């Protein structure tokens, strides 16, 4: 066994290995020691390099985290949850199952790549969905732990999984539950709904690589059924023009029009318009800066269940300064957005 | 007092707004004894229903009117006969 002690300098070891007074066996061991010592030194150098690379890139390492699991269940037109698990949703011949799997996977990617968030809870929570819920059920919802999609009645609405903004909207309710924890009435309820519309719309634009000018800013466009379209309704909500005639669910445009008992899907009109206006004022991609300000305001401060719209507006104004201190246009755009709705 | 008027509101689409309605009617006497009991309990104390899972969003609520009294309760507290009585319409 050669001596691999590294305390003796290499040149001394080399000199000793050539000393004819020492036995041939010992001289051979000394040569081996020099070789091992050299390899160890090389290994240490490489390790140091690797450590430096890791340290330099550590902030970005979370993006390498495994993607969350995405599961899909089939309620088979009952209202029993979660229904039957679908073993291979990615290749399912059922369009609702396949769409739900693919779009949910893309929402996970959207949150990971754009906001550096690992799933709904930022800890890799499984994204679970049930499709074909109920009979001709005109709804999609988040029940506190999973997404639920109805098939629509085929007249007013078609299958709710057809809207990628719907899928983004529902998943975002989960994100809100794991961050601001907004209540579902009053100002907080309206904010809760608006945040889901904002991130649902951003997801739809991100998938289509659309800038704020090219985007249509409509919510629910792809789930409108033939009966609704025939009546001239092209969407549920229009973030750019919440009170428009083509909206099946027209909303108020001013904060002063929001009343205490209002359904959050109507109270969300003013913050939706504020977000749109901020994005349109700044230009570019909605998720690039204004989206970052909204995400920071949603996730950066812990829960505030009864947050008012005024407080949220103030937080986004502050966030624009914090995130983009050298870019006054971001603050100006956010400010313009809120002023438009009276906040 | 035997007729129950039902209106389903809320959901992702915001039923109950100007254009989107969901309404139905049932006779109390047509309900099973168990469902009749559930309805009695709902009217006795509509706030007593089991709370929804925290964070839940976009679920429907039901406005149920019996005589002069109207209560609004979450979908999970409503018997399926009442849930299935409504029809979604455009106005
Ligand atoms: Zn919602």
């Amino acid at each position: 066994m050669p001596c691999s002690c590294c305390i003796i300098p290499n040149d001394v070891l080399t000199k000793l290995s050539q000393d004819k007074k020492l036995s041939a066996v010992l001289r051979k061991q000394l040569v081996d020691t020099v070789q091992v010592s050299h390899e160890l030194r090389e290994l240490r150098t490489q390790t140091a390099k690797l450590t430096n690379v890791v340290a330099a890139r550590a902030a970005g390492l979370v993006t390498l985290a495994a993607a969350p699991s995405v599961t899909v269940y089939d309620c088979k037109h009952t209202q029993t949850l979660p229904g039957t698990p679908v073993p291979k949703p990615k290749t399912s011949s059922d369009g609702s199952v396949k769409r739900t799997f693919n779009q949910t996977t893309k929402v996970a990617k959207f949150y990971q790549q754009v906001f550096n968030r690992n799933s709904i809870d930022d800890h890799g929570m499984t994204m679970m969905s049930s499709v074909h819920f109920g009979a001709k059920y005109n709804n999609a919802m988040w029940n506190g732990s999973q997404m639920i999609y109805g098939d629509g009645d085929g007249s007013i609405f078609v299958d709710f999984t057809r809207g990628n903004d719907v899928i983004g909207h529902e998943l975002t309710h989960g994100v809100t539950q794991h961050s601001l924890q907004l209540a579902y009435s009053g100002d907080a309820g309206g904010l809760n709904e608006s945040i889901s519309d904002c991130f649902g719309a951003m997801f739809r634009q991100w998938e289509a690589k659309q800038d704020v000018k090219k985007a249509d800013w409509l919510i629910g466009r792809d789930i409108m059924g033939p009966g609704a379209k025939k009546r001239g309704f092209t969407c549920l909500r229009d973030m750019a023009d919440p009170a428009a005639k083509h909206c099946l669910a027209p909303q108020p445009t001013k904060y002063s029009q929001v009343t205490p008992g209002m359904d959050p899907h109507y109270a969300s009109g003013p913050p939706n318009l504020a977000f749109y206006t901020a994005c349109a004022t700044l230009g570019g991609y909605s998720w690039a800066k204004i989206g970052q300000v909204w995400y920071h305001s949603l996730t950066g401060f812990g829960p505030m269940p009864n947050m008012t719209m005024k407080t949220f507006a103030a937080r986004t104004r502050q966030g624009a300064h914090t995130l983009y201190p050298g870019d006054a246009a971001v603050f100006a755009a956010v400010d313009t957005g809120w002023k438009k709705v009276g906040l | 007092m035997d007729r129950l008027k039902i209106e389903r509101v809320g959901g992702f689409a915001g039923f109950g707004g100007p254009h989107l309605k969901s309404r139905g009617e049932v006779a109390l006497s047509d309900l099973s004894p168990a469902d009749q009991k559930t309805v009695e309990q709902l009217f006795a104390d509509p706030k007593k229903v089991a709370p929804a899972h925290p964070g839940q969003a976009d679920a429907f609520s039901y406005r149920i009117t019996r005589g002069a009294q109207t209560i609004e309760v979450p979908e999970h507290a409503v018997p399926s006969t009442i849930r299935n009585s409504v029809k979604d319409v455009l106005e």
Side-chain angles (χ1 to χ4, degrees):
Chain A
M1 181 71 195
C3 168
S4 60
C5 167
C6 300
I7 292 170
I8 307 167
N10 265 1
D11 55 340
V12 177
L13 288 169
T14 307
K15 217 169 187 179
L16 284 171
S17 73
Q18 291 157 356
D19 190 340
K20 297 281 166 61
K21 281 181 271 179
L22 298 172
S23 73
V25 174
L26 185 54
R27 276 189 278 139
K28 171 73 173 55
Q29 285 173 344
L30 286 163
V31 169
D32 289 345
T33 303
V34 171
Q35 187 59 35
V36 168
S37 170
H38 170 74
E39 295 299 336
L40 276 176
R41 229 186 303 276
E42 282 297 298
L43 194 60
R44 269 202 298 272
T45 309
Q46 292 303 322
T47 306
K49 275 185 190 163
L50 182 63
T51 306
N52 288 340
V53 169
V54 169
R57 310 263 176 230
L61 276 183
V62 71
T63 57
L64 295 175
S69 296
V70 175
T71 56
V72 182
Y73 291 72
D74 187 351
C75 290
K76 300 179 178 172
H77 313 292
T78 70
Q79 293 198 8
T80 307
L81 286 171
T84 311
V86 180
K88 285 180 183 142
K90 194 179 178 176
T91 53
S92 173
S93 57
D94 182 326
S96 309
V97 169
K98 197 173 170 180
R99 263 193 305 276
T100 301
F101 179 84
N102 289 335
Q103 291 302 319
T104 304
T105 304
K106 280 186 184 162
V107 175
K109 203 171 157 190
F110 168 69
Y111 269 108
Q112 195 177 47
Q113 292 187 357
V114 178
F115 302 108
N116 202 20
R117 185 179 189 85
N118 185 4
S119 188
I120 291 163
D121 62 349
D122 203 17
H123 287 90
M125 173 182 172
T126 294
M127 291 176 160
M128 179 176 172
S129 306
S130 294
V131 301
H132 301 309
F133 179 83
K136 298 189 170 192
Y137 198 72
N138 277 331
N139 201 17
M141 58 185 154
W142 165 254
N143 81 345
S145 50
Q146 67 159 103
M147 281 72 65
I148 298 164
Y149 301 98
D151 293 331
D153 62 2
S155 171
I156 304 174
F157 297 108
V158 294
D159 189 338
F160 279 65
T161 65
R162 288 190 180 272
N164 57 356
D165 52 345
V166 180
I167 293 175
H169 176 110
E170 296 311 330
L171 277 154
T172 300
H173 277 307
V175 174
T176 300
Q177 181 186 336
H178 288 275
S179 50
L180 262 186
Q181 295 180 16
L182 291 168
Y184 210 57
S185 60
D187 268 29
L191 278 175
N192 193 333
E193 270 309 310
S194 176
I195 284 163
S196 275
D197 276 352
C198 292
F199 285 83
M202 270 194 278
F203 168 61
R204 189 156 171 261
Q205 294 168 17
W206 177 80
E207 262 211 290
K209 296 186 173 64
Q210 287 175 332
D211 64 20
V212 297
K213 280 207 177 80
K214 211 164 178 211
D216 61 21
W217 294 94
L218 303 179
I219 300 292
R221 180 182 172 170
D222 303 327
I223 60 162
M224 301 308 286
K229 283 183 187 169
K230 216 170 109 188
R231 292 274 305 270
F233 298 119
T234 58
C235 62
L236 271 174
R237 302 182 276 275
D238 184 343
M239 297 181 73
D241 189 3
K245 277 207 169 74
H246 57 257
C247 297
L248 186 47
Q251 301 171 297
T253 56
K254 297 279 183 198
Y255 177 65
S256 58
Q257 297 168 311
V258 173
T259 52
M262 193 176 259
D263 180 326
H265 300 87
Y266 293 89
S268 55
N272 276 4
L273 182 57
F275 179 76
Y276 159 76
T277 306
C279 290
T281 304
L282 188 65
Y285 291 122
S286 59
W287 61 89
K289 286 181 178 171
I290 303 297
Q292 298 297 328
V293 170
W294 252 245
Y295 182 76
H296 172 74
S297 304
L298 172 66
T299 61
F301 304 86
M304 196 187 265
N306 297 311
M307 190 179 219
T308 62
M309 292 193 190
K310 198 177 164 190
T311 306
F312 187 78
R315 189 178 276 185
T316 57
R317 283 184 170 104
Q318 182 58 47
H321 272 313
T322 311
L323 297 186
Y324 304 101
D327 193 347
V330 179
F331 174 84
V334 170
D335 189 52
T336 303
W338 290 114
K339 277 185 178 148
K340 170 115 183 163
V341 303
L343 279 166
Chain B
M1 286 292 274
D2 188 47
R3 306 296 302 175
L4 295 178
K5 280 190 174 178
I6 322 292
E7 186 180 5
R8 181 162 77 173
V9 296
F12 174 74
F15 274 85
H19 306 304
L20 204 49
K21 304 287 183 186
S22 183
R23 297 194 188 97
E25 221 175 280
V26 289
L28 202 51
S29 50
D30 285 346
L31 300 181
S32 69
D35 285 354
Q36 285 187 27
K37 201 180 161 200
T38 303
V39 170
E40 286 304 330
Q41 284 168 343
L42 289 175
F43 273 91
D45 193 353
K47 290 202 163 58
K48 214 179 164 184
V49 301
H53 192 296
Q56 177 177 289
D58 296 328
F60 286 130
S61 294
Y62 288 71
R63 284 184 195 141
I64 309 174
T65 304
R66 186 180 65 174
Q69 193 187 358
T70 300
I71 56 167
E72 186 169 330
V73 286
E75 184 166 64
H76 69 260
V78 177
S80 60
T81 348
I82 293 181
R83 285 191 218 177
N84 295 334
S85 75
V86 297
K87 191 174 164 31
D88 299 341
V89 289
L90 289 176
E91 286 183 354

